[in-house]
Amino acid sequence: MSALNRNHTHNLGPAIEVSGLVCGYGEQTILRDVTFKVARGEIFFIVGGSGCGKSTLLRHLVGLNPPTAGSVRFLGAPFSEADLGTRRAQLRHFGMLFQGGALWSSLTLRQNVALPLEEYTSLTRREIEELSALKLGQVGLGGYEDYYPAEISGGMKKRAGLARALALDPEILFFDEPSAGLDPVTSRKLDELIVEIRAMFGTTIVVVSHELASIYDIADRVIMLEKQAQGIIAEGAPRTLATTSEDPRVKEFLTRGTGKVPIL
Amino acid sequence: MSDNADQPQARVTVQPGAQGCAVILAGVWRITAAPPRWAECVGKEKPARVKVVMDAVERWDSSLLLFIFEVQQWCRADGVHCDLEAVPAKVRTLLGQLVASHETSVPFDRSENFLTSVGLATQDAWKKAREIIAFVGECVISAWRLVRMPHKFRWRDCVDEMQQCGAMALPIVSLISFLVGLIMAYQAAVQLRQFGADIYVADLVGLSVVREMGPMMAAIVLAGRTGAAFAATLGNMKANEEIDALAALGISPVDFLVLPRIVALGLMMPLLALYANCVGILGGMIVALGVLQIPPAAYWIETQSIIDLSDVNTGLFKALTFGLLIGLAGCLRGLQADRSAAGVGRAATSAVVTAILLIIVSDAFFAVAFNILGL
Ligand SMILES: Nc1ncnc2c1ncn2[C@@H]1O[C@H](COP(=O)(O)OP(=O)(O)OP(=O)(O)O)[C@@H](O)[C@H]1O
Ligand SMILES: [Mg+2]
C-alpha cells in the first residue's frame, strides 16, 4: 500500500466500499443502510442539506464514531471490522480535513503539519521542516508557518488543516466542506489543488460540500443524502443527475430550484 | 430598551355584547414592554363567543401574536368559540405557524417511575465504571509501549508539563506547607506545654508532616492546579475536534496526550512532597522558636532522631501514587467532557473532586496497609 504499487492499483477494485452502514449517535440513528463505492483516483462528492448527516457519515467512515451495523472497506482491506491496531495502521494512509479545521491549538502551523511526519516517517528535522513549509505554501499560507491557530482567520485554519491532511501524501483524502468560509478565488484555487493532487498522486478524494461550482467543476460522481429519507437519494455524475433525475429534491438542490444546470 | 411612561402602551378592552364579547386591541404592541394578560382582562366572565378586533392597533409584533394565542388557548380550554374573522390574514398565518410549532415542540415528558430511574442509574454507573476500567487499561498498555519504545515517547511535552506542574507549583506548595507546619506546631505547642513536653513538638510535626501532611498537601494543591488544568485542556481539545484529528491519523490520544502528563506528574509529585516536607518542618521550627523558645538546632536534632528513612519513603511512595491518581482523574475527565464550553467547565470541576476523593481514599487505604505491614 505504498507509492510502489500505486501505479497498478486501478485493477485492485474500489478504494472505498461501504455497505449497509448505519450512522448515528448513541440511540439516535441519522442515516441507515448507506451503501456506495468509490473507485480509485475518483473525486467523489457527498452532498445534501445542512444537518442531513454528511459530517456524521465521514466520522463513521474513518472510525471516529463507534462502529455500528454495516461494513467499510478501504483499498480492498476490511476497516470497520478490523481491530484497533489494524485500523490505526490503515489510518495513516488517509488524510482528513475537519469542518472546523481541528488544528492542534498548542502547536504552530508548521508543527501542526510536521506532527504526522514526525510520527510516521524517519525524515530528519530539516527535511520535515522543508516539507511542512512546502505544504503550507501549497495552500497559500507561506509566511504563516510560526503562527498559532488562534492567530489566523477561519478560512486560513481550513487551509492549514488541508495542509496537515496532505502531509503524509495520503492515498485517500476526506474533506469536510473545504471551501466553506473561503472567498471565491481561494475556493477556486482549492479546487484546482484538489484536481492537481489527484493528477499527481492518483489520490482518491472524498469531499463533503454544498458548493455547486465545485460540484460541477471537479466532482466525478456525487451521492446525495437526505434527512427525511435517512440515506442516499441519488447517485451519479452531477450533470447527469441535474438533467435526468426525476426526484424533485435532487433537481432542486443541483439546479438551485431553477430546473437548469446553473452556468458557473 | 426599557419602557418609559410616555411610551404608547398596548391596550385591551373587553366589550360584552349580545352575541358574546368583543376583545378590542389597540395601541402599540412591543415585545419589550410588559404585555397585557388575557386572564386579567377577561376577569370572571364566561362569554359564549369571543371576537378579536385589532383595527385600532398602531404597531404590533410577536407580543400581539402571543396574546391572541393565549386567547385562543383559553377559548379552546373552555369550549368558547373564538372568532378571528376581523383579524388581518397576515396575523392569522403567523398564528397558524405558532400553533403548528406549539404542537410539534411541546417538551416531552422525561419523568420516569422509581424503578426505571433506579435501573437507568445502575446502567449509567456500570457504563461509567467500564469507561474508567477501559481508560486505566489503555494507560497501562500505553505505559508498556513507553517502556518498550522510549524513543517514541513525547519527551518534549513531558518536560513542558513537568515545568508546569512541578517548578511552577513551588510558590503555592511552599506557602501551604509552611502554614500547615506552622498550624500543627502551634496546636501541639499549646497542648504539650501543659505537660512540659515542649520538645516533642518537633516529633509530632516531623512525623505527621513527613508521613501524611507533606504528600497530602502537595497532592491537594496539585489536584486543584494541575488536575483541573489537564481536564480543561483535554476537554477543550475534544470540543475542538483536536482529539478526533489525532485519532483520524491513527495516533492514540492516550499515548500522545495522557501518558506524558501522567509521567510528568508521577515524577514531580515525590519531589514536591519532599520539598513540602522540608518547608513544613521549617514552619514548625519557627513556631517552636517563637512560642516555646526551642533553639532550631535542638529542634532539628529531635526531628532527625524521630524520622527515619522508612517514614520518608512511605511519604514519597504515597506522593507518587497521588500524582498518578491526579493525572488519571484529570485526563479521564477531560476526555469524557461534553463538546461544549460548559462541558469543559464541568470536566475541570469533576477532575478536582475525583482527584481529591481518590487521594483521601487511597490515603486511608495506605494507613491501614502500612499499619498491617508495620511500616
Ligand atoms: N455529537 C452529536 N451528538 C448527537 N447528535 C449529533 C451530534 N453531532 C451531530 N448530531 C446530529 O446529527 C445530525 C447530522 O449532523 P451532521 O453534523 O452530520 O450534519 P451535516 O450534514 O454535516 O450538516 P452541515 O452541512 O451543517 O455540516 C444533526 O441532526 C445533528 O443534530
Ligand atoms: Mg457537517
Side-chain angles (χ1 to χ4, degrees), chain A residues 54-55 99 176-177 208:
Chain A
K54 303 180 296 293
S55 303
Q99 194 162 3
D176 198 347
E177 306 204 7
V208 165

Side-chain angles (χ1 to χ4, degrees), chain B residues 23-44:
Chain B
V23 179
I24 297 166
L25 311 181
V28 175
W29 291 71
R30 279 268 156 264
I31 192 95
T32 46
R37 288 271 154 240
W38 170 241
E40 286 163 23
C41 303
V42 71
K44 292 221 164 39

Side-chain angles (χ1 to χ4, degrees), chain A residues 15-240:
Chain A
I16 307 174
E17 274 178 279
V18 179
S19 64
L21 189 69
V22 176
C23 306
Y25 297 89
E27 306 277 278
Q28 179 195 7
T29 305
I30 310 275
L31 297 169
R32 53 184 89 234
D33 194 22
V34 177
T35 304
F36 63 90
K37 281 187 186 150
V38 183
R40 300 198 189 210
E42 192 169 34
I43 297 182
F44 185 83
F45 271 56
I46 299 173
V47 306
S50 190
C52 69
K54 303 180 296 293
S55 303
T56 307
L57 175 58
L58 225 47
R59 293 178 62 87
H60 274 277
L61 285 186
V62 298
L64 288 177
N65 283 4
T68 42
S71 83
V72 181
R73 296 166 69 84
F74 287 118
L75 306 162
F79 177 79
S80 63
E81 280 136 0
D83 61 77
L84 188 64
T86 320
R87 284 212 302 271
R88 283 193 177 141
Q90 276 178 295
L91 279 172
R92 44 184 96 151
H93 302 286
F94 311 152
M96 173 137 181
L97 167 64
F98 287 81
Q99 194 162 3
L103 297 172
W104 295 302
S105 50
S106 59
L107 304 180
T108 63
L109 298 193
R110 188 202 303 280
Q111 290 168 333
N112 260 285
V113 180
L115 199 146
L117 295 166
E118 285 168 10
E119 282 293 309
Y120 292 130
T121 65
S122 46
L123 299 177
T124 63
R125 209 187 173 73
R126 183 94 211 101
E127 289 167 324
I128 289 182
E129 283 188 359
E130 301 273 3
L131 261 184
S132 340
L134 169 71
K135 301 284 173 188
L136 283 168
Q138 278 182 336
V139 296
L141 284 177
Y144 288 95
E145 288 88 354
D146 295 317
Y147 280 60
Y148 281 95
E151 298 167 344
I152 58 176
S153 76
M156 287 158 83
K157 278 183 202 159
K158 228 18 183 309
R159 283 184 278 156
L162 177 64
R164 185 181 67 188
L166 295 176
L168 288 170
D169 293 330
E171 297 178 50
I172 304 181
L173 271 166
F174 298 94
F175 293 158
D176 198 347
E177 306 204 7
S179 47
L182 297 187
D183 62 88
V185 178
T186 320
S187 160
R188 191 168 176 90
K189 283 208 186 112
L190 202 71
D191 287 349
E192 281 165 14
L193 182 64
I194 290 176
V195 173
E196 211 173 288
I197 293 166
R198 194 254 308 256
M200 264 187 304
F201 301 111
T203 314
T204 308
I205 300 175
V206 177
V207 188
V208 165
S209 179
H210 304 290
E211 207 68 27
L212 280 184
S214 301
I215 296 173
Y216 286 117
D217 265 2
I218 64 171
D220 294 328
R221 225 149 48 83
V222 305
I223 53 171
M224 182 163 174
L225 304 179
E226 215 262 337
K227 202 175 170 79
Q228 256 70 49
Q230 294 196 326
I232 301 176
I233 55 167
E235 177 169 358
R239 273 170 217 282
T240 326

